[in-house]
Amino acid sequence: MYLLIESARAAWINLLAHRLRSFLTTLGIVIGTASVVAVVALMQGFSDSISAQFADLGGTALTLKAHNDFSNFNTGNINQLRTEDIDLLRYQVEGVSHVVPVMGVAYGGTVRYRGRSASPQVYGSTAEYQQVERRYPDKGRFLVEGDDQGHRRVAVIGAKLRDDLKMPDNPVGEYVQVGSEWFKVIGLMEKRGEVFGMSQDNYLIVPFEVGRALQGNNRRLMFEVHFTVNDMKDIEQVKDRVNRQIRAAHRIQPGKDDDFEVESADQLARQFSQITSMATLVLGGIVGISLLVGGIGIMTVMLVSVTERTREIGILKALGATRSDILVQFLMESGMLSLLGGLIGIAIGVLLGHGIAALIPNFPPASVPVGVAIGAAVFCALVGVIFGIMPASKAANLDPIEALRYE
């Protein structure tokens, strides 16, 4: 322990004695560490924001959708859900509460109001949409069962659509044109804000049967079924029950693949987390290559330092310093040099990450986990030690007599 403390003290004194050279030597480590930390901070902030969005959707919400991949689209054999699947989920699957069909309405695509137009997402759905999606009206009311049964031309809209069409703050009672059809606005939904520049309030919802009529009665419908489970603990059992019921309803033989899939918000969150973790590792690894360049710079300068201090090493050996004493001192010096650069790089990387996040519109705040900062510091110290082995061995193996003769 005494040897380590003395070696650290001697290394620190030597670094202070050559401040400018020490600073220039660590530049590679500083830049490399700052780049890695900034990338990780941005990706972590991005991941945290998405996770929060998924959590806001509600962990008890599940989605039943038709399964289609490239082969389906290439062959034209497109799988679709049936309207009977809605009642099957609602009445025959234990543990399911609210069930709602959600259909994208491609009809028209443009919504007009007093000479102004916008292009929101247009959905057809039913009254339970607000319970499943946890979206509630801020003004007016949401769709009710009677709207669907009566095929009423009514709609609820998001805040961005209201703003884009420059409608009154309270648009309830106004009429908008969807394609060639007129709809009375009965509700304005709560504002949800934006995610990475994409608004969550740019939509219009009409009764499901009305949306179905707009699509055309002779067309096969493409829609999803969103539903909730009564108890989060039973979510896997409910998914199994849904699987069995839909397979039986679709007459899928044992051993055959499903023509549908059941997804949960948690499942999507986990998939996204895996994707962002992989992207962080790849980007961090690519940027981390610059740390090797920094390590090579440290090795080069340390080799020069050994040559410059050859006589000093000879004197130390003549006074009784062993080979291991010299080895530890030079390793300590290179490790300390790299660690110092790493700490400065971490600080710059954190500032850089927050600065870049602030400059990009609607980008979530950067976030640096403490574990990443500690890991970066330890890795930098290891880089210094590894690249210091060659110069330290050269110094330790010097012959004391030859070293004392060195001019």
Side-chain angles (χ1 to χ4, degrees):
M1 180 59 71
Y2 177 76
L3 173 65
L4 290 176
I5 295 173
E6 276 302 305
S7 297
R9 189 181 66 81
W12 181 247
I13 292 172
N14 190 55
L15 292 179
L16 289 179
H18 304 88
R19 290 183 179 84
L20 181 59
R21 187 175 69 180
S22 301
F23 172 72
L24 294 176
T25 305
T26 58
L27 264 185
I29 297 294
V30 171
I31 294 171
T33 307
S35 303
V36 172
V37 171
V39 167
V40 172
L42 291 170
M43 291 300 294
Q44 188 65 39
F46 183 82
S47 178
D48 290 347
S49 175
I50 289 294
S51 298
Q53 293 293 328
F54 277 116
D56 195 41
L57 289 175
T60 59
L62 298 174
T63 300
L64 171 67
K65 59 169 66 172
H67 174 78
N68 287 298
D69 53 26
F70 285 118
S71 63
N72 295 101
F73 291 109
N74 287 336
T75 59
N77 184 24
I78 307 297
N79 293 317
Q80 292 173 297
L81 295 182
R82 308 161 186 173
T83 52
E84 293 81 6
D85 296 333
I86 303 170
D87 289 336
L88 189 151
L89 281 178
R90 182 172 287 137
Y91 301 117
Q92 297 188 30
V93 179
E94 185 185 351
V96 170
S97 49
H98 304 290
V99 179
V100 59
V102 178
M103 173 178 55
V105 180
Y107 181 83
T110 301
V111 178
R112 294 183 177 83
Y113 172 76
R114 294 186 181 178
R116 291 178 284 273
S117 63
S119 300
Q121 297 290 325
V122 180
Y123 301 116
S125 193
T126 59
E128 290 179 287
Y129 179 90
Q130 54 181 346
Q131 283 87 12
V132 175
E133 301 297 331
R134 297 184 180 180
R135 297 188 181 198
Y136 301 97
D138 182 44
K139 293 181 172 62
R141 66 170 176 85
F142 195 73
L143 304 173
V144 297
E145 196 174 340
D147 296 328
D148 210 37
Q149 293 173 348
H151 291 226
R152 293 174 185 153
R153 293 291 195 269
V154 293
V156 293
I157 64 173
K160 186 174 188 302
L161 178 58
R162 176 199 59 183
D163 296 341
D164 288 347
L165 294 177
K166 300 188 185 315
M167 299 178 75
D169 288 343
N170 185 355
V172 176
E174 300 291 327
Y175 284 84
V176 294
Q177 188 179 16
V178 182
S180 59
E181 303 286 336
W182 287 93
F183 287 82
K184 182 180 181 181
V185 177
I186 58 171
L188 174 71
M189 301 300 285
E190 290 177 331
K191 195 170 185 177
R192 300 289 291 267
E194 295 185 343
V195 179
F196 312 120
M198 297 177 64
S199 175
Q200 299 182 89
D201 304 303
N202 190 24
Y203 62 90
L204 178 145
I205 304 175
V206 300
F208 184 76
E209 290 299 330
V210 174
R212 185 176 179 175
L214 291 176
Q215 291 284 58
N217 290 328
N218 295 324
R219 297 184 58 179
R220 297 185 67 189
L221 297 176
M222 291 295 293
F223 65 92
E224 299 175 350
V225 183
H226 298 191
F227 59 99
T228 59
V229 296
N230 296 330
D231 193 335
M232 185 67 181
K233 290 184 296 186
D234 300 331
I235 192 166
E236 291 303 323
Q237 291 90 324
V238 171
K239 287 173 72 173
D240 290 341
R241 290 176 203 142
V242 171
N243 233 47
R244 286 197 299 272
Q245 292 283 359
I246 299 296
R247 281 185 68 90
H250 291 195
R251 298 181 180 178
I252 300 174
Q253 297 298 318
K256 296 287 185 182
D257 293 335
D258 295 338
D259 63 352
F260 62 91
E261 52 192 325
V262 181
E263 290 183 344
S264 67
D266 287 346
Q267 185 180 349
L268 291 174
R270 284 196 298 273
Q271 290 174 352
F272 184 82
S273 177
Q274 290 173 353
I275 293 171
T276 53
S277 297
M278 188 66 71
T280 303
L281 282 175
V282 172
L283 288 173
I286 293 172
V287 179
I289 293 173
S290 57
L291 281 173
L292 299 180
V293 178
I296 293 170
I298 287 179
M299 183 175 67
T300 305
V301 173
M302 290 299 295
L303 285 170
V304 174
S305 177
V306 169
T307 303
E308 289 177 348
R309 294 158 63 186
T310 299
R311 190 172 177 81
E312 175 191 328
I313 294 169
I315 294 172
L316 288 172
K317 286 200 168 182
L319 292 175
T322 63
R323 183 177 176 277
S324 61
D325 293 338
I326 303 297
L327 189 73
V328 169
Q329 181 174 337
F330 274 86
L331 284 178
M332 187 69 75
E333 195 170 318
S334 61
M336 191 177 290
L337 196 63
S338 185
L339 176 62
L340 193 63
L343 293 175
I344 296 171
I346 290 169
I348 294 174
V350 171
L351 295 174
L352 202 59
H354 285 285
I356 293 173
L359 288 174
I360 301 175
N362 302 314
F363 199 89
S367 171
V368 183
V370 176
V372 171
I374 294 174
V378 171
F379 184 75
C380 288
L382 283 176
V383 167
V385 171
I386 291 170
F387 283 90
I389 289 175
M390 183 186 290
S393 298
K394 182 181 177 183
N397 292 328
L398 283 176
D399 182 80
I401 297 175
E402 293 297 325
L404 285 170
R405 287 177 179 170
Y406 185 80
E407 293 294 338

